[in-house]
Structures are given as structure tokens and as C-alpha cells.
Amino acid sequence: MKTYPRANPGDQPPLVYPPYASNIRRAPAMPPIPLEHTLSELTGPLYGHNPIGETDNDLTRQHTADPIGERIVVAGRVMDEDGRPIPHTLVEIWQANAAGRYRHAVDNHPAPLDPNFTGAGRTVTDQNGDYRFLTIKPGAYPWRNHPNAWRPAHIHFSLFGPCFVTRLITQMYFPNDPLFPYDPISLAIPDERARQRLVSQFDLDLTEPEWALGFRFDIVLRGRDATPFEGQS
Ligand SMILES: [Fe+2]
């Protein structure tokens, strides 16, 4: 019978990490009780089962004009613990605009909204497990977790896998971000090498001449090289 390698201790964040203040109230105070999966959880349609639209993976072409900011390509491969590609899996992203503002009702950070940028995209991995987005580099934003708290620039990722209960959520960061060492969300991952697996790499091969810088972000779903995910411990 196949066995899956376990994540190394310290590679995944704990459910409660007090320096990340808002997760204290969100995290379970009691040990989780395993529940059987329901049939609908295993076989029901996934969110996003509608056909992928032409501009769903190009966040710079979802409105009538170009959004403000630095165009970037974000691409990579989704793999299992043995490095085998995961084809045909839905990858969704959401992010702030170049000024660090989300198009969201509760974001009142006094930075401008961009009428030409929604900040949400989705795509499906191809037969090689590869995905690709064109988007705008997000700005850092303040978040009141502690005095003078700023999130490093990041893009939220969701990977659905074959059914609703296999969904995984994480965040991608950018190389050499001065805010990364101060961020309680990424610091919740105890192991430094595991934290670095959330940092994308600048990639000249992904970079498009005269158009956009390229950043590679490969995602490993489990095992010793697994990408750290939220709420998995
Ligand atoms: Fe965010």
C-alpha cells in the first residue's frame, strides 16, 4: 500500500500562533473531532466549475483599460510529494492592487482602488501540472495586528484538488521583501527553509521582453517538500 511521506516537524504552521492575533479567536480551542466525509463533499461540483473565461488568468485584461502597477507573470507547477505533476486542478488567486488595497467591503486602508483591477483570477493546470497568471505586483498593506504592522506583498492561492475537502490555501511572497522577516503569518511556520518555499523566485525565462517580470512559484501538495498551507496542523 502506498504511504505518503509526512511533513517535517516545523514545516507547517500550528493552528494557533499568538503573534498572529486574529487567529487566536478563529483557531479551535478543543482537539478536532474527525467526521466522515459526506458523499456531496466527495462528489459534488467544485466552486468554480463554470468554464474558465478567456481573461480569468489575466488580471490585467478584466476591465476596459490597463490597471496601474508593475505587470508580472506568476507561473509554476503543481506537484505531488514525488514531483509528479498534478494536471487539471483549479488554481485560484486573489490579491491587493499595486497600492496595497483590496477591492473588498471591509478594506478601508486609505490607498486608492484601481477601477481597472479586481484582483481575482483562476486557471486550471495543464497536462504538465503547469499554471500561469499575468497580473499586477501587489503592494504591501497595513493590517493592525500589532503596532506598525504591514503585510509583505503577497498573493493568496487556493488549490482545489479533486473534491471540496482537498482544498488547500496558502500565500506566495516575493524575493527579498524587507517585510517578510517581520510577518507573523509567515513566521507561524517554524522552519526557515519551509518559510522560504512560500517565496517565489525571479525567473528570466518567464519574463516577457518589454512587458512583464516573471516569478516562478511551484507548489508541492504534501510530503517532505510540501508547501506550507494554512490550517493544516
Ligand atoms: Fe492578503
Side-chain angles (χ1 to χ4, degrees):
M1 189 167 64
K2 179 175 175 56
T3 58
Y4 292 103
R6 303 279 181 181
N8 293 314
D11 276 10
Q12 298 287 331
L15 290 173
V16 182
Y17 182 67
Y20 177 7
S22 62
N23 89 339
I24 296 173
R25 285 194 297 176
R26 285 202 299 255
M30 306 285 286
I33 300 171
L35 297 174
E36 293 295 320
H37 298 319
T38 65
L39 186 62
S40 61
E41 283 178 325
L42 297 174
T43 64
L46 299 175
Y47 167 74
H49 224 222
N50 296 327
I52 301 293
E54 186 197 351
T55 61
D56 280 7
N57 73 336
D58 185 346
L59 287 71
T60 70
R61 290 199 299 130
Q62 296 176 344
H63 297 273
T64 54
D66 290 337
I68 298 294
E70 181 184 343
R71 268 190 303 268
I72 57 171
V73 173
V74 176
R77 179 166 291 179
V78 181
M79 292 172 281
D80 71 7
E81 69 278 5
D82 294 322
R84 290 176 298 224
I86 306 292
H88 315 306
T89 195
L90 183 69
V91 181
E92 296 171 298
I93 62 170
W94 60 100
Q95 62 167 97
N97 68 19
R101 176 88 183 263
Y102 283 100
R103 182 173 292 280
H104 190 278
V106 301
D107 187 344
N108 56 10
H109 169 37
L113 283 170
D114 185 340
N116 293 307
F117 192 72
T118 302
R122 59 182 189 153
T123 191
V124 174
T125 57
D126 66 14
Q127 67 274 16
N128 298 316
D130 291 334
Y131 72 89
R132 181 183 182 282
F133 291 98
L134 186 65
T135 185
I136 295 293
K137 190 172 185 185
Y141 60 80
W143 64 305
R144 297 177 184 156
N145 180 77
H146 55 273
N148 211 9
W150 291 78
R151 294 295 330 279
H154 60 278
I155 297 177
H156 297 264
F157 270 73
S158 160
L159 295 102
F160 255 96
C163 63
F164 199 81
V165 295
T166 57
R167 187 184 187 201
L168 294 170
I169 295 175
T170 191
Q171 297 181 31
M172 183 205 97
Y173 299 86
F174 291 88
N176 305 314
D177 191 318
L179 292 167
F180 192 68
Y182 301 99
D183 180 45
I185 292 183
S186 51
L187 288 174
I189 302 157
D191 188 271
E192 168 65 18
R193 286 170 306 170
R195 276 201 295 279
Q196 289 300 321
R197 291 202 285 273
L198 294 181
V199 181
S200 59
Q201 296 182 335
F202 172 68
D203 189 326
L204 200 58
D205 291 332
L206 286 176
T207 297
E208 296 187 6
E210 318 286 326
W211 195 249
L213 296 183
F215 293 89
R216 170 166 285 277
F217 183 53
D218 293 331
I219 298 166
V220 179
L221 296 181
R222 60 173 299 149
R224 293 185 190 88
D225 299 320
T227 303
F229 293 101
E230 297 174 7
Q232 295 296 299
S233 296

